[in-house]
Amino acid sequence: MSRDQALTQAAQQLGYDFDGEIKAGGNYQPLMRDGNTVYVSGQVPRVKDTVVVTGRVGADVDLARAQHAAKICAMRALVLLQRSLGSLDAVQQILRLNVFTQCAENFTQLSEVADGASELLVQVLGQAGTHVRTSVGVYALPKGASVELDLTVSVQAQ
């Protein structure tokens, strides 16, 4: 199965359609390329115009739902990459994943939340989806999102 087919399959498993526009939430670029490195701006679990998972993880949102949110964020990032590069086959390696979780004061399962995104990246990209990672708990995220992530990606030369 190609990476692009794996992306379609992952979207179906999540139960969402990512065919529409992936909107930026402000005056910035959703991704920026510098040589063979692409930086993907922070992605929240937005589908179409709706942030589908909001609230504090560990209070309003349970771990499983937070992991689902992280998968949606990762899916958005991969869709942006696919559209920019023409195919996910151009991805050489996910270099870095940063995951931010809006969480309750005593919530400490930040790595487990990030596992949702990590698993989706490896599911779609195979070995190229492995990465270094930072997981951080925060007080607030845009639009009340439970999770936000960004990526640094190595891609084939143009």
Side-chain angles (χ1 to χ4, degrees), residues 96-145:
R96 182 168 194 79
L97 168 65
N98 295 307
V99 180
F100 304 91
T101 302
Q102 179 191 181
C103 61
E105 181 178 346
N106 296 321
F107 184 80
T108 60
Q109 292 178 289
L110 301 166
S111 291
E112 289 86 343
V113 172
D115 284 343
S118 294
E119 289 166 8
L120 187 125
L121 293 171
V122 171
Q123 174 188 344
V124 173
L125 299 173
Q127 186 63 27
T130 61
H131 48 269
V132 299
R133 179 177 90 185
T134 300
S135 306
V136 179
V138 299
Y139 181 75
L141 288 171
K143 311 295 184 209

Side-chain angles (χ1 to χ4, degrees), residues 3 73 104 137 139:
R3 291 176 178 174
C73 297
Y139 181 75

Side-chain angles (χ1 to χ4, degrees), residues 3 6-16 18 67-79 81 88 94 97 112-131 133 149 151:
R3 291 176 178 174
L7 181 71
T8 300
Q9 183 179 58
Q12 291 169 347
Q13 289 171 350
L14 285 173
Y16 295 108
F18 294 90
Q67 290 171 323
H68 183 75
K71 288 180 181 186
I72 295 169
C73 297
M75 177 63 68
R76 286 174 52 91
L78 288 173
V79 168
L81 283 166
L88 289 177
I94 302 295
L97 168 65
E112 289 86 343
V113 172
D115 284 343
S118 294
E119 289 166 8
L120 187 125
L121 293 171
V122 171
Q123 174 188 344
V124 173
L125 299 173
Q127 186 63 27
T130 61
H131 48 269
R133 179 177 90 185
L149 63 76
L151 294 176

Side-chain angles (χ1 to χ4, degrees), residues 1-88:
M1 174 183 320
S2 76
R3 291 176 178 174
D4 296 320
Q5 291 170 323
L7 181 71
T8 300
Q9 183 179 58
Q12 291 169 347
Q13 289 171 350
L14 285 173
Y16 295 108
D17 175 7
F18 294 90
D19 289 341
E21 180 184 3
I22 303 287
K23 297 180 181 178
N27 188 17
Y28 63 90
Q29 296 299 312
L31 51 80
M32 185 70 63
R33 184 172 183 153
D34 180 25
N36 292 348
T37 304
V38 176
Y39 302 91
V40 181
S41 292
Q43 299 298 310
V44 298
R46 182 190 323 253
V47 178
K48 308 272 186 243
D49 292 326
T50 304
V51 179
V52 296
V53 184
T54 60
R56 292 195 183 287
V57 180
D60 312 312
V61 177
D62 67 14
L63 176 60
R65 187 77 176 138
Q67 290 171 323
H68 183 75
K71 288 180 181 186
I72 295 169
C73 297
M75 177 63 68
R76 286 174 52 91
L78 288 173
V79 168
L80 285 168
L81 283 166
Q82 182 189 47
R83 290 176 184 175
S84 174
L85 301 170
S87 170
L88 289 177

